[in-house]
Amino acid sequence: MKFCLQFPMRALKHWDTWIDGHGLGDVAAAAEDAGFDMVSTTDHPFPSQTWLEAGGHHAFDPFVSLAFMAAATTRLRLLTMIVVAGHRHPYITAKAAGSLDNLSGGRLVLGMGAGYQQAEFEVVGGSFTDRGKRFDASIPALRQAWTGEVVDRDDDYFPAHGHVMLPKPAQAGGPPIWIGGNSNVALRRVAELADGWIPIEQSEEASAITKTPALGSADELAERVAELRERRRAAGRSTDVDVCFAPMGRRDPDGNAAAIAENVAAYAAAGATHLLVESRARSFADYLREVELYRPLTGQALAVD
């Protein structure tokens, strides 16, 4: 099992106080030292105040923030959790993602999702009503741009004739694309178009807000992973697929670390290859204490002077 540390979503509102004179590089370096395999950040460029008041959150630009984290680390992989496909034209996303992958030495995983915040789509000029079709079209557009060859494609949404994007990403074919969400459409995208899946533990109450189906137990996860593998088999694709499960867990870090330790074997048996742990820290000092709670899980020994 590999572990991804999600940057605390509640830190941004009080960022200057939270970071206490440090930087995102320090955040990433602490995660790498504690044995985490990956770090992730979210994507909300211009959220509505209505959503924020209902429990939403702010976010750094994912490519900028992950670039700072990449520069301070050597092996930590970088996950966008998640880039909303319709917030940016795919060729702009391709340039940002390809640049980050190249400059980080091939450490980016491009997590993407359809999104559900209509107000945020509209304010950034995105098209909400046909976002699913545009998302489907964006994935082959991304991959064609990443070839570094002249692109000549007719497309209902993203045609390109005689354009080329350099430098290429470090990873052959570009960074892997993982799809976030629990819906049948998300599974279909992973089966037909993408490389990995990011299912999210959701209660019925949370499902009503995020518009992604509820998902609770490891048994339910196992059922969905089996369905995903069958869909990929039917599509003529490998059934060896990355699954990064995001358990919601408990709010207190000690309890959350204990709960994950108790369930990690069940998640692995269900088909999860990665577990995403969201930091709950309310300060940088709390964050440093929190990442140490996961060191026994990640298997990274404490350095000895």
Side-chain angles (χ1 to χ4, degrees):
M1 181 69 74
K2 295 182 179 180
F3 290 87
C4 174
L5 184 65
Q6 173 83 2
F7 179 77
M9 291 182 283
R10 307 299 169 185
L12 269 293
K13 188 175 181 180
H14 306 287
W15 173 245
D16 291 341
T17 302
W18 191 98
I19 197 63
D20 191 27
H22 297 275
L24 277 174
D26 299 314
V27 170
E32 184 171 73
D33 179 71
F36 281 90
D37 303 280
M38 182 179 285
V39 67
S40 58
T41 60
T42 54
D43 178 32
H44 280 289
F46 208 2
S48 72
Q49 182 64 17
T50 300
W51 181 66
L52 293 170
E53 290 174 350
H57 61 89
H58 293 282
F60 281 124
D61 178 273
F63 299 108
V64 173
S65 56
L66 289 172
F68 270 82
M69 293 183 173
T73 56
T74 58
R75 63 162 185 83
L76 204 64
R77 301 204 75 190
L78 316 161
L79 171 66
T80 57
M81 173 52 191
I82 56 175
V83 161
V84 176
H87 285 174
R88 302 165 181 79
H89 193 287
Y91 298 132
I92 299 299
T93 300
K95 170 56 73 173
S99 297
L100 178 53
D101 191 66
N102 184 291
L103 294 171
S104 68
R107 289 190 276 154
L108 179 65
V109 175
L110 185 61
M112 303 186 76
Y116 66 96
Q117 292 291 319
Q118 184 170 354
E120 196 167 15
F121 267 81
E122 292 172 350
V123 76
V124 299
S127 180
F128 185 77
T129 55
D130 61 349
R131 66 193 187 282
K133 292 180 180 179
R134 288 176 175 272
F135 190 3
D136 287 344
S138 73
I139 294 176
L142 286 164
R143 289 202 168 115
Q144 196 162 357
W146 286 332
T147 64
E149 300 175 357
V150 176
V151 173
D152 185 21
R153 57 180 284 119
D154 288 307
D155 185 284
D156 290 341
Y157 297 106
F158 311 117
H161 300 283
H163 297 265
V164 62
M165 185 178 293
L166 290 173
K168 295 194 298 183
Q171 296 179 82
I177 296 173
W178 293 359
I179 303 298
N182 303 345
S183 69
N184 284 327
V185 175
L187 284 181
R188 192 263 302 163
R189 287 193 178 103
V190 181
E192 298 176 0
L193 299 168
D195 308 296
W197 181 38
I198 311 174
I200 304 164
E201 183 179 0
Q202 293 278 275
S203 65
E204 293 291 347
E205 293 78 12
S207 175
I209 297 172
T210 63
K211 313 301 182 186
T212 197
L215 177 60
S217 68
D219 288 341
E220 290 179 281
L221 177 62
E223 291 174 4
R224 303 308 300 278
V225 172
E227 179 184 352
L228 171 60
R229 288 172 175 162
E230 182 53 41
R231 288 187 183 214
R232 286 178 66 89
R233 184 179 294 108
R237 305 187 71 207
S238 171
T239 59
D240 185 14
V241 59
D242 282 308
V243 176
C244 181
F245 182 54
M248 289 299 99
R250 295 172 52 174
R251 291 194 175 275
D252 64 294
D254 292 271
N256 197 46
I260 289 174
E262 181 180 347
N263 291 290
V264 64
Y267 294 143
T273 57
H274 298 67
L275 286 182
L276 186 144
V277 178
E278 181 190 342
S279 172
R280 308 286 188 175
R282 296 303 194 218
S283 70
F284 184 74
D286 286 344
Y287 169 80
L288 293 179
R289 287 191 292 270
E290 183 181 19
V291 295
E292 288 302 319
L293 294 173
Y294 295 98
R295 191 181 289 272
L297 279 174
T298 64
Q300 180 66 38
L302 199 62
V304 177
D305 293 333

